[in-house]
């Protein structure tokens, strides 16, 4: 009997709790229905469609901004070289990806600082002061970035994309459209990054070969050479001040 009474009391409490929750939800719904709301009025005039298109273009540009940042700056070369360095040493997880990407970003900011300063002085500052239109600001802002890319790009890569675009070769590289300069610049950056990666691999490859030869001469063929050569590669990199040499060489390669 006591158990039956306890079960009945528990059931009544559950029903009361459910009824209270339903009343609270109803009150909250009524309060929300009469509460503040956010609406976006684009107008119903002839310019409403143009405004919607401009908003869509702006959102598209903002979503592609990281890709633009990677493709038109020094980030591509730096991050590939640092990745090659990590693989050449034989430590695929050290430094971790967060440290590697952060180092590549700060080096990119350091290298691109003069370019960003010219973009700010020549395009962004006059545009915020309402002295020029956004079309003129975009044109002025692209000029320093294009000049940076044209200093690094190979003439052969430019010729390839000019040929693929089917347009006649201009008298000067500065007359090329931006959609031709960017892929040529990326191709040149990949080539230079792989060249630097090859040069980085050579000393560590020599260490691996020496360690493997010594192990074979001692009859330790079952012992993996990588496990023995890793400490020697690390001490070689530290004694040679490898980070100083690699970072300094990468930054100087853009000047």
């Amino acid at each position: 009997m006591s158990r039956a009474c306890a079960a009945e009391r528990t059931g009544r409490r559950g029903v009361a709790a459910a009824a209270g929750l339903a009343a609270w939800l109803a009150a909250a719904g009524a309060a929300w229905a009469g509460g503040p709301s956010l609406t976006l009025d684009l107008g119903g005039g002839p310019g409403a469609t143009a405004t919607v298109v401009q908003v869509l273009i702006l959102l598209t540009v903002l979503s592609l901004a990281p890709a633009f940042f990677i493709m038109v700056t020094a980030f591509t070369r730096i991050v590939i070289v640092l990745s090659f360095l990590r693989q050449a040493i034989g430590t695929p997880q050290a430094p971790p990806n967060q440290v590697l990407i952060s180092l590549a970003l700060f080096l990119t900011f350091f290298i691109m600082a003069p370019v960003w300063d010219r973009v700010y002085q020549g395009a962004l500052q006059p545009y915020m002061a309402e002295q020029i239109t956004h079309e003129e600001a975009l044109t002025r802002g692209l000029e320093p970035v294009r000049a940076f890319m044209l200093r690094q790009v190979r003439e052969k890569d430019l010729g390839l994309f000019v040929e693929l675009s089917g347009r006649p070769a201009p008298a000067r590289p500065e007359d090329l459209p931006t959609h031709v300069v960017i892929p040529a610049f990326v191709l040149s950056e990949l080539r230079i990054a792989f060249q630097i990666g090859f040069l980085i691999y050579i000393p560590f490859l020599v260490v691996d070969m020496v360690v493997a030869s010594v192990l074979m001469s001692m009859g330790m063929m079952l012992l993996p050479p990588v496990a023995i050569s890793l400490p020697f590669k690390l001490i070689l990199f530290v004694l040679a001040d490898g980070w100083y040499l690699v970072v300094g060489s990468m930054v100087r390669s853009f000047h």
Side-chain angles (χ1 to χ4, degrees):
M1 293 294 294
S2 60
R3 291 183 179 179
C5 293
E8 184 178 358
R9 285 197 298 270
T10 303
R12 290 176 181 176
R13 290 175 184 175
V15 172
L21 179 61
W24 181 85
L25 289 175
W32 177 257
S37 61
L38 177 64
T39 59
L40 181 62
D41 186 11
L42 298 176
T49 304
T51 303
V52 172
V53 172
Q54 290 177 1
V55 171
L56 290 177
I57 293 175
L58 178 61
L59 293 177
T60 303
V61 170
L62 290 177
S63 63
L64 296 177
F68 287 148
F69 175 79
I70 291 174
M71 293 295 104
V72 302
T73 62
F75 183 82
T76 302
R77 183 189 306 184
I78 295 172
V79 76
I80 292 177
V81 170
L82 293 178
S83 178
F84 274 132
L85 174 62
R86 187 171 64 177
Q87 294 178 13
I89 295 176
T91 55
Q93 300 299 328
N97 289 331
Q98 292 85 350
V99 175
L100 214 64
I101 297 299
S102 300
L103 178 60
L105 282 174
F106 281 109
L107 290 176
T108 302
F109 292 149
F110 177 80
I111 294 169
M112 300 297 296
V115 178
W116 301 141
D117 185 64
R118 289 196 293 271
V119 171
Y120 177 78
Q121 297 293 337
L124 188 58
Q125 194 173 26
Y127 177 70
M128 291 190 300
E130 298 183 355
Q131 298 174 355
I132 58 176
T133 61
H134 62 274
E135 292 89 356
E136 188 176 357
L138 180 62
T139 303
R140 289 189 183 183
L142 280 176
E143 289 177 0
V145 180
R146 281 171 50 88
F148 169 79
M149 290 190 291
L150 288 172
R151 284 198 307 269
Q152 307 298 327
V153 72
R154 284 197 313 169
E155 207 172 302
K156 183 178 180 181
D157 297 327
L158 281 176
L160 171 64
F161 285 97
V162 168
E163 180 184 353
L164 293 176
S165 65
R167 62 175 63 244
R172 302 180 307 160
E174 289 78 8
D175 298 331
L176 288 170
T178 305
H179 72 273
V180 172
V181 176
I182 292 178
F185 169 75
V186 174
L187 192 62
S188 298
E189 289 295 287
L190 291 174
R191 174 180 173 272
I192 296 174
F194 275 70
Q195 287 178 340
I196 299 175
F198 170 75
L199 296 176
I200 289 175
Y201 257 95
I202 291 178
F204 299 110
L205 182 61
V206 171
V207 174
D208 286 332
M209 292 176 63
V210 170
V211 171
S213 300
V214 171
L215 291 178
M216 289 186 65
S217 65
M218 296 175 63
M220 299 180 179
M221 290 179 291
L222 298 180
L223 185 63
V226 177
I228 305 300
S229 63
L230 179 58
F232 292 99
K233 289 190 288 187
L234 290 176
I235 194 62
L236 173 65
F237 188 71
V238 171
L239 292 178
D241 204 356
W243 288 111
Y244 174 86
L245 294 175
V246 171
V247 172
S249 300
M250 279 195 301
V251 174
R252 292 188 187 96
S253 67
F254 288 96
H255 298 294

